[in-house]
Amino acid sequence: AVGPILVMKHMWPLLKAGGGSGTDREVAVVANLSARVGSIGDNRLGGWHSYRASKSALNQLTKNVSVELGRRKDPVACILLHPGTVDTDLSRPFQRNVPDG
């Protein structure tokens, strides 16, 4: 959870300069890969305590950084991406509702 935030911390000067500098964008974009299981409001099954906690922490830390950047008027957008359920041993027991393909 802390790794992506530390990268943002150390890349902050480049991110601030990156918005609009030689690109078509007015802002730089930071995208963190998260998971739906990190949602506190969408936790109906429990389990996966460490994984859920780490994703919840990443989600909250990314939100905090986004608020801070907005307050400072830094040209950086923070987004969280959820790729959906992927085919791994960890998720296999929970794939019955995932369509084939």
Side-chain angles (χ1 to χ4, degrees), residues 39-62:
S39 169
I40 294 171
D42 192 20
N43 183 355
R44 295 180 303 267
L45 299 175
W48 294 6
H49 307 295
S50 296
Y51 187 73
R52 284 184 189 276
S54 70
K55 294 304 179 183
S56 294
L58 175 62
N59 294 350
Q60 186 61 48
L61 288 166
T62 302

Side-chain angles (χ1 to χ4, degrees), residues 25-82:
R25 297 197 169 123
E26 295 179 15
V27 298
V29 178
V30 173
N32 287 327
L33 192 61
S34 187
R36 187 172 175 178
V37 297
S39 169
I40 294 171
D42 192 20
N43 183 355
R44 295 180 303 267
L45 299 175
W48 294 6
H49 307 295
S50 296
Y51 187 73
R52 284 184 189 276
S54 70
K55 294 304 179 183
S56 294
L58 175 62
N59 294 350
Q60 186 61 48
L61 288 166
T62 302
K63 176 62 179 176
N64 287 350
V65 170
S66 176
V67 169
E68 180 74 17
L69 292 170
R71 208 168 36 87
R72 293 175 180 229
K73 307 280 192 248
D74 287 341
V76 182
C78 299
I79 61 174
L80 288 157
L81 301 170
H82 163 52

